[in-house]
Amino acid sequence: MPVGLLALALGGFGIGLTEFGIVGLLPQIAADLGVSEPVAGHLVSGYALSVAVGAVALTAAVGRFERKKVLLALMLLFIAGNLISALAPGYAVLMVGRIVAALCHGAFFGVGSVVAADLVAPHRRAGAIALMFAGLTVANVVGVPLGTLLGERLGWRSTFWALTIIGVVTLAGIRLLVPTTPVAAGNGLRGELGAFRRPQVWVSLAVSVLAFGGVIGAFTYIAFTLTEVSGFAVTVVPWLLVLFGVGTFAGNHLGGRFADRALNASLITIMAVTTVVLAVFALTAHSKVMATVSLLLMGTAGLATAPGLQLRTMKYAQDAPALASGANIAAFNVGNALGAWLGGLAIAAGHGFVSPLWVGAGVTAAGLAVLAAGSTRPRSRASAAPPESASAAPSSPCRFRRPAAETD
């Protein structure tokens, strides 16, 4: 395993903790800064929207630069954002810090996915991407509880100081462990945007929206489901969420391995399993035993799609892998917002706290239908791969060529 992947995974851990770690600190932040809890919650939604913007805009802006330098610059942005948050004298400055840190999120995973895939042999690309995303899943398992505990013991600012330190360590790791690669030859931003004329790229992005929208939409309200329907005590919920995090870690690893073997087939299977798991969860949520098992399986199956969807997007945009990868990160976050909104509508309509699970199952099933249709439709050269001229461009270690033995 290339040691550079460890530096990328550490960056993923810090970014994941930045995104989710603040959730457990919102009551403290609201009390300390004198804002209501709903207003404090905008620190989460504001971050997500900034991720979606930065994932595309920032990735496009840095496409012509050497990728190691881009990663170093993005980590400096991450450090600056968390340092601003740690020192923020009020809510407005804290929001600025959150936005600055969020801007690097999508671009880091977008560019980092290409770098990670470039560090290994072609048949191990999805596994390398999964390892980088493992940092994000580890943040869900141990980082968020530890960040919340640190904030409770030493104040909410201490968590942002810890994130700043993680950023500095990651910066040093990338500087020392990630190799420098030649800048990929390309046709400029207009040429890279041409990759988005291919239907299969849009199929991948649509499936990413729906796959994550289904799972995260159900997960957003899972605490209410566990307490109001399953009958768990509020004090037990954090431990159950750790169980979900363990599932995401396992699913991310398994999804990467399966995607390297058979990309489309594995994604179709995983999304079908996810749909079934969400439906079974909805039917058996009143049982503590079944709710516990379903929560673990929801994390495992739901996040197993991440490395495969990232690789699929890059595969069909071979001449613009970083930009397409960043767009896919944006799609993940659009899906998160869409799923949470639809789940909230179901609850507001009076369908109870099981309804987000049914909504999630429906959204995931829609994603499965899109993926199945996109995977079986006749492929033209224009939709399945970049034009021949792109393939004939000067060789670059960041150019994604499909191996002759690779199958879907």
Side-chain angles (χ1 to χ4, degrees):
M1 177 185 66
V3 292
L5 290 176
L6 298 178
L8 296 177
L10 181 60
F13 173 79
I15 289 173
L17 186 54
T18 300
E19 181 176 18
F20 300 115
I22 195 173
V23 173
L25 303 175
L26 289 181
Q28 292 184 47
I29 293 174
D32 186 40
L33 300 183
V35 298
S36 66
E37 291 193 5
V39 171
H42 294 163
L43 295 169
V44 177
S45 56
Y47 184 97
L49 292 174
S50 300
V51 170
V53 172
V56 178
L58 199 54
T59 304
V62 300
R64 293 177 294 174
F65 299 97
E66 195 275 318
R67 291 187 173 111
K68 178 177 178 178
K69 292 180 179 179
V70 170
L71 291 174
L72 292 172
L74 292 172
M75 285 315 302
L76 288 174
L77 197 63
F78 173 85
I79 293 169
N82 282 292
L83 186 59
I84 291 171
S85 298
L87 297 171
Y91 177 83
V93 177
L94 178 57
M95 178 63 82
V96 170
R98 293 286 290 169
I99 292 173
V100 170
L103 289 175
C104 85
H105 181 130
F108 183 87
F109 280 110
V111 176
S113 293
V114 179
V115 173
D118 183 48
L119 292 176
V120 299
H123 66 281
R124 297 179 57 196
R125 285 173 176 160
I129 294 171
L131 182 56
M132 186 190 71
F133 274 88
L136 185 64
T137 59
V138 169
N140 288 331
V141 179
V142 297
V144 173
L146 289 177
T148 302
L149 179 63
L150 182 64
E152 290 175 349
R153 296 291 178 86
L154 302 177
W156 61 268
R157 295 178 189 274
S158 64
T159 300
F160 289 104
W161 282 114
L163 287 167
T164 302
I165 294 172
I166 291 173
V168 172
V169 175
T170 302
L171 182 72
I174 293 173
R175 176 68 179 83
L176 297 174
L177 302 177
V178 175
T180 300
T181 57
V183 178
N187 301 318
L189 180 58
R190 177 176 295 182
E192 290 192 351
L193 290 174
F196 292 91
R197 291 196 295 267
R198 299 177 198 131
Q200 286 295 335
V201 173
W202 287 103
V203 168
S204 297
L205 296 177
V207 173
S208 292
V209 170
L210 296 170
F212 269 67
V215 174
I216 300 302
F219 181 69
T220 300
Y221 305 96
I222 202 66
F224 298 103
T225 306
L226 294 173
T227 55
E228 301 298 326
V229 180
S230 304
F232 286 103
V234 175
T235 54
V236 179
V237 172
W239 299 106
L240 292 172
L241 297 185
V242 170
L243 186 65
F244 175 85
V246 171
T248 66
F249 181 80
N252 178 69
H253 172 70
L254 293 173
R257 295 187 62 179
F258 295 153
D260 276 328
R261 296 177 182 176
L263 181 56
N264 282 330
S266 68
L267 285 171
I268 289 173
T269 301
I270 292 168
M271 291 192 65
V273 171
T274 303
T275 302
V276 172
V277 167
L278 289 169
V280 171
F281 197 168
L283 289 170
T284 61
H286 59 278
S287 167
K288 289 184 178 181
V289 173
M290 287 302 299
T292 302
V293 173
S294 296
L295 187 62
L296 175 64
L297 293 177
M298 186 172 82
T300 304
L303 271 293
T305 58
L309 288 171
Q310 193 76 354
L311 182 64
R312 192 183 196 279
T313 305
M314 293 190 300
K315 167 187 164 185
Y316 288 108
Q318 297 177 32
D319 45 344
L323 182 58
S325 181
N328 199 52
I329 298 296
F332 286 157
N333 283 271
V334 170
N336 294 348
L338 174 66
W341 177 64
L342 292 175
L345 287 180
I347 293 173
H351 297 300
F353 291 117
V354 170
S355 59
L357 292 168
W358 286 118
V359 171
V363 172
T364 307
L368 174 61
V370 171
L371 178 59
S375 299
T376 57
R377 66 184 295 274
R379 296 181 186 173
S380 66
R381 290 184 63 83
S383 67
E388 189 65 34
S389 59
S391 297
S395 177
S396 165
C398 295
R399 176 83 54 198
F400 280 78
R401 288 193 178 88
R402 182 172 176 166
E406 182 182 346
T407 62
D408 291 340

